[in-house]
Amino acid sequence: MSEKHNASNPNQEDDNQNWYSSWFDTPYYHILYKDRNYREAQIFMDNLTHYLNLPENANVLDLACGKGRHSIYLNQLGYNVLGADLSENSIAEASKNSNETLHFKVHDMREPFEEKFDAIFNLFTSFGYFENDDDNLTTLKAIKESLSEYGFAVIDFMNVTQVIETLVPEEVKTVDEIDFHIKRYVEDGHIFKEIDFEDQGRKYHFTEKVKALTLKDFQDLMDEAGIYLLDIFGDYKLKKFHKTESERLIMIFK
């Protein structure tokens, strides 16, 4: 699980209202995950936009966009793109790439947008890390409200069943001469990742936490939100979803 989730910093008092801004805003988050396969991500976005048959100059929202790499690629495909993220640092970095058809803004995904979008993408497990589980439903409702009449939304989540079955309890990952000691476990319906490391004589500890949402969990939330689930895929090539084998849970809805 190499994605964006709950974080807390031992050097600060725990603040459950604010945890999601600490880990993402540190340079270490980007160091640890610098080897992500962005070519695979681009192929995924190629497949996705082709499947959705988005019109030329479609308005696309990249929700939880981080530093905007995928927003930039979607813009290169010819779409009008808004990248939104809660992290002010990430948006400041992403905004260096702004142009007439590519913009970025700090935004809480629980809040709907005034403008409407032809497509809303929430990619690479950028969902399910709120402290209050009710916020997951609030987020889905906000996505629905932000879609145009003919718009589609996509949530790309991990396949919880497969992740739990293949969970690596402990490992050490060395990046840029920093040894990241990683522990993973499942507790209280969430998947946790404890990250400990030392840099320049200072010790750091972060905790990632994501709600272990299954397809049925999403279906129940979507029913409650008045959302229609159109299609489900199991990987970035848009192959059929298999509960125990698929790496991803990719849901198309409106």
Side-chain angles (χ1 to χ4, degrees), residues 4 20 24-25 62-67 83-88 90-91 104-109 113 126 129:
K4 300 175 279 191
Y20 30 78
F24 309 151
D25 270 351
D62 181 11
L63 193 59
C65 68
K67 289 191 174 182
D85 199 281
L86 195 62
S87 167
E88 293 185 9
S90 292
I91 290 299
F104 296 93
K105 72 183 294 186
V106 176
H107 184 86
D108 188 321
M109 66 168 65
F113 286 79
S126 300
Y129 46 74

Side-chain angles (χ1 to χ4, degrees), residues 5 16 20 22 27 42 68 81 83 87 93 97 119 159 161 167 170 185 196 204 218 231 241 248-249:
H5 311 122
N16 285 339
Y20 30 78
S22 59
Q42 290 176 348
V81 180
S87 167
E93 188 68 26
N97 301 285
N159 177 13
T161 303
L167 206 65
E170 292 190 33
Y185 56 93
D196 291 275
Y204 294 87
F218 273 107
D231 221 336
F241 176 75
R248 309 299 301 172
L249 170 60

Side-chain angles (χ1 to χ4, degrees), residues 13-14 49 54 75 80-81 92 100 106 142 151 155 160 172 216 232:
E13 290 184 19
D14 281 345
T49 52
L54 291 179
N75 182 240
N80 295 307
V81 180
E100 287 185 4
V106 176
I155 289 179
V160 164
V172 179
K216 185 181 186 306
I232 308 160

Side-chain angles (χ1 to χ4, degrees), residues 3 40 125 156-160 162-163 233-236 241-250:
E3 292 137 343
E40 183 183 50
T125 309
D156 160 39
F157 201 68
M158 60 180 168
N159 177 13
V160 164
Q162 192 262 359
V163 166
F233 299 109
D235 66 16
Y236 293 145
F241 176 75
H242 292 279
K243 183 178 178 181
T244 56
E245 298 171 20
S246 294
E247 293 183 1
R248 309 299 301 172
L249 170 60
I250 299 166

Side-chain angles (χ1 to χ4, degrees), residues 8 15 44 56 60 78 85 115 156 158 167 185 199 248:
S8 58
D15 179 1
F44 174 40
E56 194 175 339
V60 176
D85 199 281
E115 57 209 285
D156 160 39
M158 60 180 168
L167 206 65
Y185 56 93
D199 186 39
R248 309 299 301 172

Side-chain angles (χ1 to χ4, degrees), residues 222-236:
M222 288 178 178
D223 284 346
E224 194 171 346
I227 283 170
Y228 182 56
L229 183 57
L230 298 165
D231 221 336
I232 308 160
F233 299 109
D235 66 16
Y236 293 145

